[in-house]
Amino acid sequence: MPQYRKYMTQALELAHKGAGWVNPNPLVGTVVVRDGEILAAGYHDRYRGPHAERMAFDTLEPCCHVGSQPACTDLILSHGITRVVVGSIDPNPIVAGKGLRILEENGVEVVYDVMRAECDAINRHFFHYITTGMPYIVNGRKHAEESDAEYTVRRRGLYDTYAAVLGICPTGGRAGAPGNSNGTEGSVGSAARLPGRTDRLDVSDGAFAHFDGPVQAVDANEVVVGRHKPLHLDIRALADTEPDEWLRELGRRKIDSLVVDDDDVFEMLSSI
């Protein structure tokens, strides 16, 4: 399947462009090919925005349900696509193989597991979140061999990729309030009141992803947006509630991933 790997590699490169913008959805890229020629390409670029199929078609399993976007299986069938090459199977229970079965039942050839390891790797946080209901814990600790400058660059990359960061927030902040987004120590995308054992986390349903500046329309299928800013949560929350319950509440609030810099806290949360 060398020809499939060539096109899947391009689809993966496209998918990466959605990092930090699509949470808690998966990263998805796609190319549409006929007779060895790429006719169209696209990627899922923002939460609740058009799926990659609307930009072109999908490398992850096409969705078969109607949510904030129409079902992608209908789109594929309506365009007369005869073969769909899939990298990953979506573990979301409302998809989980159903979309591919619909395509096969309608005469579409489905080629499975092309570059499966690479496709799964870019969405490991989504797979964890959708199957456990809790955010994926990201190791934000400094490596022993890293210089301070190297660590700063790597940490900025983590902050740009994942939904939230666990650190010390200034007092008096409010959920969803914009703050310093330069990624330096102590910077805040937004601050949150943290829950006691019977309280709900004071984060609005839409507060888990933040952006600098307005959204500027380019055309019907493309937007230009500012820099992703992660939600910044206070590490002191863990003194007031059970860690597993706190993680489940973050999951209920659609926070799919959490960068943790503290050694002890990372070891504790990653073991849950």
Side-chain angles (χ1 to χ4, degrees), residues 90-157:
D90 190 340
N92 188 336
I94 62 177
V95 182
K98 298 174 187 176
L100 298 179
R101 287 195 297 272
I102 289 172
L103 294 180
E104 290 177 320
E105 289 167 359
N106 283 272
V108 178
E109 177 189 356
V110 178
V111 180
Y112 290 85
D113 296 337
V114 174
M115 298 181 65
R116 173 71 179 267
E118 294 88 340
C119 291
D120 285 355
I122 68 168
N123 279 312
R124 60 171 63 93
H125 59 293
F126 169 74
F127 292 158
H128 176 87
Y129 165 73
I130 206 68
T131 56
T132 68
M134 294 187 290
Y136 178 71
I137 305 303
V138 180
N139 187 354
R141 300 174 298 177
K142 184 178 178 181
H143 298 157
E145 67 278 9
E146 282 183 312
S147 68
D148 289 345
E150 290 170 334
Y151 177 52
T152 297
V153 171
R154 183 172 64 84
R155 185 175 57 183
R156 177 68 267 173

Side-chain angles (χ1 to χ4, degrees), residues 4 18 48 65 79 94 105 126 140 151 164 187 211-212 260 269:
Y4 295 152
R48 288 183 175 167
H65 64 288
H79 281 74
I94 62 177
E105 289 167 359
F126 169 74
Y151 177 52
S187 67
F211 314 101
D212 289 328
V260 181
L269 295 181

Side-chain angles (χ1 to χ4, degrees), residues 1-181:
M1 300 183 183
Q3 74 276 24
Y4 295 152
R5 292 184 62 86
K6 170 186 174 182
Y7 300 126
M8 189 65 76
T9 297
Q10 294 179 60
L12 282 167
E13 291 173 355
L14 288 166
H16 275 290
K17 293 183 178 183
W21 300 99
V22 303
N23 310 72
N25 289 343
L27 297 172
V28 180
T30 183
V31 293
V32 179
V33 181
R34 183 176 62 192
D35 298 329
E37 179 185 359
I38 295 178
L39 302 181
Y43 67 99
H44 185 37
D45 67 345
R46 65 196 187 282
Y47 177 61
R48 288 183 175 167
H51 289 184
E53 295 90 342
R54 298 286 151 182
M55 303 293 190
F57 296 107
D58 202 295
T59 59
L60 193 74
E61 177 185 354
C63 69
C64 56
H65 64 288
V66 177
S68 60
Q69 297 293 319
C72 299
T73 47
D74 294 343
L75 179 69
I76 290 172
L77 293 173
S78 71
H79 281 74
I81 299 299
T82 59
R83 179 183 301 127
V84 172
V85 178
V86 178
S88 289
I89 301 295
D90 190 340
N92 188 336
I94 62 177
V95 182
K98 298 174 187 176
L100 298 179
R101 287 195 297 272
I102 289 172
L103 294 180
E104 290 177 320
E105 289 167 359
N106 283 272
V108 178
E109 177 189 356
V110 178
V111 180
Y112 290 85
D113 296 337
V114 174
M115 298 181 65
R116 173 71 179 267
E118 294 88 340
C119 291
D120 285 355
I122 68 168
N123 279 312
R124 60 171 63 93
H125 59 293
F126 169 74
F127 292 158
H128 176 87
Y129 165 73
I130 206 68
T131 56
T132 68
M134 294 187 290
Y136 178 71
I137 305 303
V138 180
N139 187 354
R141 300 174 298 177
K142 184 178 178 181
H143 298 157
E145 67 278 9
E146 282 183 312
S147 68
D148 289 345
E150 290 170 334
Y151 177 52
T152 297
V153 171
R154 183 172 64 84
R155 185 175 57 183
R156 177 68 267 173
L158 295 178
Y159 289 6
D160 283 346
T161 300
Y162 297 105
V165 174
L166 189 61
I168 299 297
C169 289
T171 59
R174 64 178 179 85
N180 183 355
S181 62

Side-chain angles (χ1 to χ4, degrees), residues 228-249:
H228 165 70
K229 296 187 291 183
L231 183 70
H232 200 107
L233 300 175
D234 199 315
I235 203 167
R236 291 169 293 188
L238 297 173
D240 299 324
T241 189
E242 296 292 340
D244 59 337
E245 286 301 314
W246 188 69
L247 289 179
R248 292 187 189 282
E249 180 60 27

Side-chain angles (χ1 to χ4, degrees), residues 210-233:
H210 300 277
F211 314 101
D212 289 328
V215 174
Q216 175 187 349
V218 176
D219 58 39
N221 295 316
E222 186 178 0
V223 295
V224 172
V225 289
R227 190 177 185 85
H228 165 70
K229 296 187 291 183
L231 183 70
H232 200 107
L233 300 175

